[in-house]
């Protein structure tokens, strides 16, 4: 399939590294089940104020990849993922506040990505599934072709939809998830980013800046990425939140 | 479907996200974190007239204003502790005080292990209720219906209704407390003071003390003073007015004029809750019922940038 990919994540300033609630599953390249290969990854941003959101984010990101990027399969195993979360968080004799907080459940965004071979030998096809404000950016020649599910920074100001760890009949995954499919040509880049980095990208695009040239510079190493985010925080150009990006470059065919 | 703000303690609502793109020089935008916690101070009228029935009481006038106030503030503290809870830990995002005034006394209204203390970190508050009661509440059954559930209801302070209304002294005490706080957190989100009262101060005109209190500031803005007026004279509820026209008496007008404007984040939050808000709306409610009071505390203690 000939892809290159990487991931960098930096916890919010003033917090411990283990407090980072951005979780990802990357990469999973394997048999799509029809003799072709596919690439699957997922990024999830756990809700800060809830308990055990990082665990929930990790479980759903992993679950998406284990579903081989099939949203139907993910929906089928979601009840089991919820049971896992409950099993791993339940404890006897919790203090009153921990017990009541746990009853509220955890929440997280989910951005899943599947890249597959297509009938057209000149390009791959990607399909992305989104719940919430973790965004996908499709880049060609250092310019933005499309973003998903948000298309501008104003949409990041809205209350994001979040996937809950506690089942509620009003919570229908099909109603929550947005889907986007497009061709992925040689030289193209996809970036998955949680809301802080997405907000910075939109701001730069909207002011006529060149965020993808800057990103290209800093995704060469984890240290570069961390230093870059720290500098942006120092200049108040990005909000102080967990910052994670997954990047995938197509070298296909 | 689940939107972040459908749950009061859910984190990724507009008040968090919007701060990403607000220039840091705008007021009321300082980050609230364990390193830079927020400060809430409640002033609670405990005068004899607080034993009168609560406005809009659906229980046939049997709920006293003092009891309703205690319930609402205990519930607020409960929600705030839960909001700051992370697993079995409580993160000290806030320090909170409850000052009672009545019977010629002004001082901490906390009971139990934190009795006598003015501002207490939220982790200590969570671990130190004076008692935990069991109450009933209705919750979603997950299938569109409601079921009744027994729930633990922690109590930090009890209803008191006795003596006069030394509001000027209470505001002066608040000034001492928040000035000391601001001295230690000169760049933090400024303290938010919420005064709950039912009547006219009997130790003078509180306007001057209120003005002095609101003049205390951090680099992020002035202290915010909000007022809840539970009038014994009755009258229709008025929420977040932007002018004193329509307020029924001089004391309501005094409290209105003592009240700070809602911040932009609070305006947005109030609009989302269905209130009519303008740029001049103040943090003042007159004769609101219990539901509106809970909304008021939710809106009035909503900073912009919790981390």
């Amino acid at each position: 399939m000939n892809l290159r990919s990487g991931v960098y994540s930096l916890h919010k300033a003033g917090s411990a590294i283990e407090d980072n609630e951005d979780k990802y599953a990357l990469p999973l390249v394997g048999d799509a089940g029809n003799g072709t290969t596919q690439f699957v990854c997922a990024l999830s941003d756990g809700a800060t104020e809830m308990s055990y959101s990082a665990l929930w984010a990790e479980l759903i990101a992993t679950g998406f990849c284990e579903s081989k990027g099939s949203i139907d399969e993910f929906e089928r195993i979601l009840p089991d993922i919820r049971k896992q979360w409950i099993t791993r968080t339940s404890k006897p004799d919790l203090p009153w506040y921990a017990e009541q907080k746990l009853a509220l459940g955890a929440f997280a965004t989910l951005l899943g990505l599947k890249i597959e071979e297509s009938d057209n030998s000149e390009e791959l096809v990607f399909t992305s599934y989104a719940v919430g404000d973790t965004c996908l950016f499709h880049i060609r020649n250092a310019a933005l072709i499309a973003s998903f599910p948000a298309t501008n920074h104003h949409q990041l100001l809205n209350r994001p939809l979040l996937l809950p760890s506690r089942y509620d009949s009003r919570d229908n995954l099909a109603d929550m998830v947005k889907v986007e499919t497009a061709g992925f040509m040689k030289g193209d880049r996809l970036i998955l980013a949680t809301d802080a980095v997405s907000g910075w990208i939109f701001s730069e695009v909207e002011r006529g800046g060149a965020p993808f040239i800057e990103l290209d510079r800093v995704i060469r190493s984890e240290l570069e990425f961390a230093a870059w985010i720290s500098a942006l925080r120092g200049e108040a150009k990005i909000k102080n939140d967990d910052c994670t990006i997954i990047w995938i470059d197509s070298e296909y065919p | 479907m689940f939107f972040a703000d459908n749950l009061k303690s859910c984190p990724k609502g507009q008040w968090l996200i919007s701060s990403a793109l607000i220039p840091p020089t705008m007021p009321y935008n300082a980050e609230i974190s364990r390193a830079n916690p927020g400060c809430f101070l409640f002033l609670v009228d405990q005068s004899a007239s607080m034993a009168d029935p609560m406005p809009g009481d659906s229980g046939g006038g049997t709920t006293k204003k003092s009891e309703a106030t205690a319930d609402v503030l205990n519930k607020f503290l409960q929600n705030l502790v839960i909001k700051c809870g992370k697993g079995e830990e409580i993160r000290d995002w806030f320090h909170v005080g409850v000052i009672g005034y009545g019977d010629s006394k002004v001082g901490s209204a906390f009971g139990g292990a934190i009795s006598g203390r003015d501002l207490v970190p939220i982790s200590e508050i969570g671990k130190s209720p004076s008692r935990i009661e069991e109450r009933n509440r209705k919750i979603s059954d997950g299938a569109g219906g409601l079921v009744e559930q027994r729930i633990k209801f922690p109590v930090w302070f009890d209803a008191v209704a006795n003596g006069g209304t030394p509001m000027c002294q209470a505001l002066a005490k608040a000034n001492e407390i928040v000035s000391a706080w601001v001295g230690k957190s000169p760049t933090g989100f400024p303290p938010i003071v919420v005064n709950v009262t039912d009547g006219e101060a009997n130790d003078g005109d509180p306007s001057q003390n209120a003005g002095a209190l609101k003049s205390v500031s951090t680099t992020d803005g002035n202290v915010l003073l909000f007022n809840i007026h539970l009038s014994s004279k009755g009258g229709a509820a008025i929420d977040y007015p932007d002018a004193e026209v329509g307020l029924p008496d001089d004391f309501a007008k005094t409290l209105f004029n003592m009240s700070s404007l809602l911040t932009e984040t609070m305006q947005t939050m109030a609009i989302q809750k269905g209130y009519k808000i303008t740029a001049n709306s103040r943090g003042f409610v007159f004769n609101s019922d219990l539901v509106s009071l809970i909304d008021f505390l939710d809106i009035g203690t909503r900073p912009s940038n919790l981390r």
Side-chain angles (χ1 to χ4, degrees):
Chain A
M1 187 167 261
N2 219 4
L3 302 174
R4 290 197 318 139
S5 65
V7 57
Y8 298 117
S9 188
L10 184 67
H11 56 286
K12 63 176 78 75
S15 294
I17 191 167
E18 59 269 23
D19 291 337
N20 189 339
E21 291 172 317
D22 285 356
K23 298 292 172 185
Y24 53 86
L26 169 89
L28 197 70
V29 180
D31 185 353
N34 56 5
T36 63
T37 56
Q38 65 175 19
F39 170 98
V40 179
C41 69
L43 178 59
S44 175
D45 181 355
T48 306
E49 283 182 39
M50 308 309 287
S51 287
Y52 307 110
S53 286
L55 172 63
W56 177 238
E58 184 180 340
L59 288 173
I60 58 176
T62 305
F64 180 84
C65 288
E66 286 175 354
S67 304
K68 294 188 172 179
S70 159
I71 200 70
D72 292 338
E73 175 62 10
F74 178 72
E75 188 167 24
R76 192 188 70 75
I77 67 169
L78 193 53
D80 288 335
I81 298 174
R82 289 188 162 121
K83 278 182 197 160
Q84 277 188 60
W85 183 86
I86 289 169
T87 303
R88 291 175 63 175
T89 57
S90 297
K91 271 175 77 175
D93 302 323
L94 285 172
W96 69 268
Y97 49 85
E99 184 183 289
Q100 292 183 15
K101 182 86 176 223
L102 196 56
L104 297 174
F107 296 81
T109 68
L110 177 65
L111 180 67
L113 176 71
K114 175 170 64 176
I115 303 173
E116 301 168 288
E117 295 173 350
S118 70
D119 295 338
N120 179 353
S121 61
E122 292 301 308
E123 65 176 19
L124 301 167
V125 169
F126 73 82
T127 306
S128 183
Y129 303 91
V131 178
D133 60 4
T134 299
C135 295
L136 176 78
F137 298 90
H138 186 186
I139 300 137
R140 185 171 295 159
N141 299 325
L144 181 65
I145 295 178
S147 63
F148 167 78
T151 55
N152 60 64
H153 89 269
H154 292 290
Q155 291 170 355
L156 294 186
L157 304 181
N158 296 329
R159 293 170 297 172
L161 204 55
L162 301 169
L163 196 59
S165 67
R166 299 274 182 187
Y167 174 74
D168 188 296
S169 60
R170 293 167 296 180
D171 159 36
N172 182 350
L173 185 65
D175 293 337
M176 299 174 81
V177 73
K178 292 180 180 172
V179 186
E180 178 77 8
T181 297
F184 190 38
M185 294 173 59
K186 184 172 185 176
D188 284 3
R189 170 173 288 168
L190 293 172
I191 289 178
L192 291 74
T194 48
D195 59 306
V197 177
S198 296
W200 174 81
I201 291 173
F202 282 128
S203 298
E204 287 296 299
V205 168
E206 288 161 20
R207 75 168 188 87
F212 302 109
I213 292 174
E214 198 165 341
L215 275 166
D216 187 57
R217 178 178 62 78
V218 300
I219 63 170
R220 305 296 177 191
S221 85
E222 191 164 10
L223 283 177
E224 287 254 14
F225 178 77
W228 174 68
I229 292 289
S230 297
L232 288 180
R233 287 173 180 166
E235 296 166 28
K237 288 182 175 173
I238 195 168
K239 70 175 174 178
N240 182 20
D241 197 357
D242 298 330
C243 289
T244 303
I245 63 167
I246 297 174
W247 56 271
I248 305 119
D249 288 347
S250 173
E251 295 180 357
Y252 175 91
Chain B
M1 288 196 188
F2 282 79
F3 288 95
D5 268 358
N6 280 358
L7 287 172
K8 288 191 173 71
S9 49
C10 218
K12 289 178 66 59
Q14 185 162 359
W15 55 300
L16 296 181
I17 304 303
S18 59
S19 61
L21 300 159
I22 295 172
T25 50
M26 284 185 69
Y28 305 112
N29 192 42
E31 180 177 289
I32 290 181
S33 64
R34 281 171 285 183
N36 296 293
C39 169
F40 298 144
L41 182 62
F42 295 92
L43 308 179
V44 180
D45 182 347
Q46 296 180 323
S47 63
S49 51
M50 288 294 281
D52 292 344
M54 179 69 187
D57 177 25
S58 57
T62 57
T63 305
K64 297 174 181 173
K65 287 186 277 193
S66 56
E67 293 168 347
T69 301
D71 269 1
V72 167
L73 285 186
N74 281 317
K75 183 69 185 169
F76 171 81
L77 290 173
Q78 179 186 16
N79 286 339
L80 194 64
V81 169
I82 291 171
K83 177 181 285 195
C84 299
K86 200 79 176 168
E88 293 180 59
E89 178 194 3
I90 303 170
R91 296 185 171 178
D92 279 326
W93 282 324
F94 300 101
H95 291 218
V96 183
V98 182
I99 302 297
Y101 59 98
D103 198 20
S104 305
K105 285 188 300 191
V106 176
S108 172
F110 285 131
I114 54 174
S115 173
R117 292 176 60 184
D118 292 335
L119 285 177
V120 183
I122 194 69
S123 62
E124 282 189 65
I125 290 174
K127 291 167 187 168
S128 311
S130 53
R131 63 181 182 281
I132 297 181
E133 298 178 356
E134 291 239 324
R135 296 193 179 186
N136 292 327
R137 72 166 184 179
K138 288 193 168 73
I139 60 162
S140 167
D141 62 2
L146 294 172
V147 291
E148 200 154 85
Q149 183 192 50
R150 295 286 284 172
I151 186 166
K152 289 172 182 164
F153 187 83
V155 174
W156 287 272
F157 77 102
D158 289 298
V160 174
N162 195 11
T165 311
M167 192 186 304
C168 296
Q169 289 180 59
L171 291 165
K173 174 78 174 172
N175 197 330
E176 276 175 34
I177 294 169
V178 300
S179 294
W181 173 269
V182 163
K184 290 177 190 166
S185 303
T187 59
F189 196 97
I192 295 173
V193 181
V194 180
N195 178 37
V196 187
T197 181
D198 81 325
E200 193 169 345
N202 63 2
D203 62 347
D205 179 359
S207 302
Q208 200 170 348
N209 292 91
L213 177 60
K214 289 189 291 180
S215 73
V216 178
S217 64
T218 70
T219 54
D220 193 45
N222 286 64
V223 166
L224 295 166
L225 173 62
F226 300 140
N227 286 282
I228 294 171
H229 187 186
L230 307 174
S231 174
S232 294
K233 294 176 184 169
I238 300 170
D239 299 317
Y240 313 101
D242 59 5
E244 63 177 37
V245 176
L247 293 172
D249 58 45
D250 286 345
F251 194 64
K253 289 174 184 170
T254 299
L255 284 174
F256 166 81
N257 286 308
M258 283 164 50
S259 301
S260 304
L261 294 174
L262 292 177
T263 67
E264 282 187 30
T265 305
M266 293 169 188
Q267 288 174 21
T268 304
M269 174 91 176
I271 290 167
Q272 285 171 354
K273 284 181 177 284
Y275 293 97
K276 283 187 180 173
I277 297 294
T278 71
N280 294 319
S281 287
R282 299 199 184 207
F284 173 69
V285 288
F286 177 84
N287 274 4
S288 291
D289 61 16
L290 276 175
V291 173
S292 298
L293 290 190
I294 290 166
D295 278 353
F296 184 86
L297 294 187
D298 201 23
I299 293 163
T301 56
R302 188 56 66 102
S304 63
N305 198 3
L306 178 61
R307 285 283 166 243

